[in-house]
Amino acid sequence: MTVNGGVSFWLQQVGVPTPRPALPGDLDVDVAIVGGGYTGLWAAYYLKRDQPDLRVAVLERRFAGYGASGRNGGWLTNSVTGGRAQYVKTHGREAAIAQQRALNATVDEVIAIAAAEGIDADIRKGGEFEVALNPAQLARLTAAAASEQSWPATDVEVLDAKAAAARINVAGVQGGIWHPHAARIHPAKLALGLAQAVERLGVAIYEGTTVTEIVPGEARTDHGTVRAAHVLRATEGFTPDLKGLHRTWLPMNSSLIVTEPLAPAVWDEIGWNGREVLGDFAHVYMYAQRTADDRIAFGGRGVPYRYGSHVDQDGQTQQRTIESLTALLNRFFPSTRRAAIDHAWSGVLGVPRDWAATVGHDRTTGLGWAGGYVGTGVTATNLAGRTLRDLVLGQDTEFTRLPWVGHRARNWEVEPLRWLAVQAIYTAYHAADRGEQRGRATTSPIAKVADLVAGR
């Protein structure tokens, strides 16, 4: 029987951690970090490691790794959220290249820190592999590959249908692209191991502590007020729950299923020996990995947005979403049709109005922030953590000069406008995918609706 919700398969597999104590009352520190996911933990790690005398506290509503950090698809990859072109317009081509190079290097940084801290997160650097399954997807793949190959540091390889199937035998594959700057990880093992590493450095993590408001010099919680010279917001998809920030980022839901461990004969048919992370060129894209214990974790958008920026808490996934993801899994890999689905869950990610991630710090107020990763944060959170370290310490570094630093997007519209916008884009995307599967070309309104939602 499929387990539905109740955190994620990843956390169920390793065991939900024993809760740490809540904030005992008012507290004075140097740096207060709101949010115990990857962003907050990485920021705490680098700050305390590089300046041990800093008093650093992490405030977390549930437990460290409870949110997207413990629920994601396990893609440690080099994606520039929102694309490089945005930075060409605002900062120039060299700045866009610097952002890409920084993310490439960050993949290896995470792997190195995990090794140094003894965090066994099932990391396997097999690269990122994306496939096209119909002519329209192949046209997008070809265009994407040409664009990527016009930039340095992307290292993209194009595979024809035969070569793509030899790498991962996706039914009906017509072509693929691959790059080496990606690794499969076990998200919860990384999050929980990082929290332990942060504690070893002397950072206090207060769990079961809800921050209700952030103001200069203070993080106000249900257990007291934490006073700090620097207050860093690392709340990603949960940002709308903070006072005054309801329209800052839109909480988008993503869902995953995971199979039972598959038999060797099934893997003989599928291949996937390189343990690449796997995606496709559909409009409503999927993402997947072969886990360390030989399951397939397979994700995509279910119900992407809840009216009023309601933030999902328990990960319960609609039955129709489980069925649609299972059907897509079986279409990709027909030999999985008899495999049981052991767990289904959902998580919340943060979407800025312009779909561009950001990190920043206002030295006049001491307030800092990072997030808006739109589902590409496993790598970017580490880069954000190092950047927040440098900004808090007042250092001018290669990280503080990157083009995403200080970026701000305008707020999302009031309801029902933002709900209507999200519904419009995903309705259009689903219709386009269905049409392309039947051999019809994508119609131009798809791009127009996407541009409307993205604010372009």
Side-chain angles (χ1 to χ4, degrees), residues 137-447:
Q137 289 186 22
L138 185 60
R140 285 196 293 278
L141 181 154
T142 302
S147 175
E148 290 295 287
Q149 291 174 336
S150 71
W151 291 82
T154 56
D155 305 311
V156 165
E157 297 180 14
V158 181
L159 293 81
D160 62 17
K162 182 177 180 181
R167 187 178 282 272
I168 303 178
N169 188 20
V170 178
V173 64
Q174 298 191 11
I177 59 173
W178 176 87
H179 72 76
H181 305 291
R184 174 209 71 190
I185 68 164
H186 188 297
K189 289 182 179 180
L190 179 60
L192 300 184
L194 182 56
Q196 293 169 355
V198 163
E199 285 186 310
R200 287 195 297 271
L201 289 172
V203 172
I205 301 176
Y206 297 104
E207 297 182 337
T209 301
T210 299
V211 175
T212 55
E213 185 178 13
I214 296 172
V215 298
E218 294 183 353
R220 298 171 179 170
T221 86
D222 58 346
H223 289 279
T225 296
V226 178
R227 292 175 292 269
H230 306 275
V231 182
L232 309 182
R233 171 168 54 84
T235 46
E236 190 56 0
F238 296 92
T239 301
D241 287 345
L242 290 167
K243 184 177 180 179
L245 299 176
H246 191 65
R247 291 165 51 203
T248 301
W249 292 336
L250 183 147
M252 188 82 77
N253 296 294
S254 197
S255 301
L256 285 108
I257 57 173
V258 67
T259 68
E260 64 182 345
L262 302 179
V266 175
W267 288 115
D268 288 343
E269 181 175 334
I270 294 174
W272 212 338
N273 296 318
R275 304 311 199 269
E276 305 88 342
V277 293
L278 172 66
D280 73 350
F281 273 84
H283 296 288
V284 184
Y285 58 85
M286 50 69 62
Y287 52 94
Q289 65 153 282
R290 178 178 176 176
T291 69
D293 59 347
D294 286 336
R295 305 168 187 264
I296 296 177
F298 196 97
R301 295 290 186 265
V303 178
Y305 174 68
R306 300 178 189 275
Y307 188 88
S309 290
H310 174 71
V311 178
D312 176 70
Q313 298 290 335
D314 62 8
Q316 189 81 10
T317 302
Q318 288 193 342
Q319 185 60 35
R320 67 183 186 186
T321 298
I322 298 173
E323 291 171 357
S324 66
L325 287 174
T326 303
L328 190 58
L329 165 69
N330 297 158
R331 189 192 311 162
F332 269 58
F333 306 114
S335 58
T336 64
R337 292 187 185 279
R338 294 183 179 178
I341 301 301
D342 277 358
H343 201 133
W345 71 98
S346 297
V348 180
L349 50 98
V351 181
R353 183 63 174 75
D354 61 358
W355 296 60
T358 175
V359 58
H361 179 261
D362 184 340
R363 293 205 66 81
T364 63
T365 64
L367 298 181
W369 69 90
Y373 307 115
V374 198
T376 61
V378 178
T379 303
T381 50
N382 176 278
L383 182 58
R386 286 180 287 158
T387 305
L388 284 170
R389 170 202 60 194
D390 293 348
L391 291 169
V392 167
L393 298 181
Q395 299 173 349
D396 178 15
T397 68
E398 61 179 316
F399 302 127
T400 64
R401 293 189 293 270
L402 289 172
W404 71 331
V405 175
H407 173 74
R408 292 182 184 269
R410 64 187 175 94
N411 283 346
W412 282 90
E413 289 76 8
V414 297
E415 294 291 23
L417 295 179
R418 63 181 181 271
W419 184 87
L420 290 171
V422 176
Q423 295 304 309
I425 189 171
Y426 278 96
T427 297
Y429 278 173
H430 281 294
D433 285 335
R434 287 192 297 270
E436 290 176 0
Q437 192 176 339
R438 299 186 186 105
R440 296 199 301 268
T442 301
T443 55
S444 59
I446 298 298

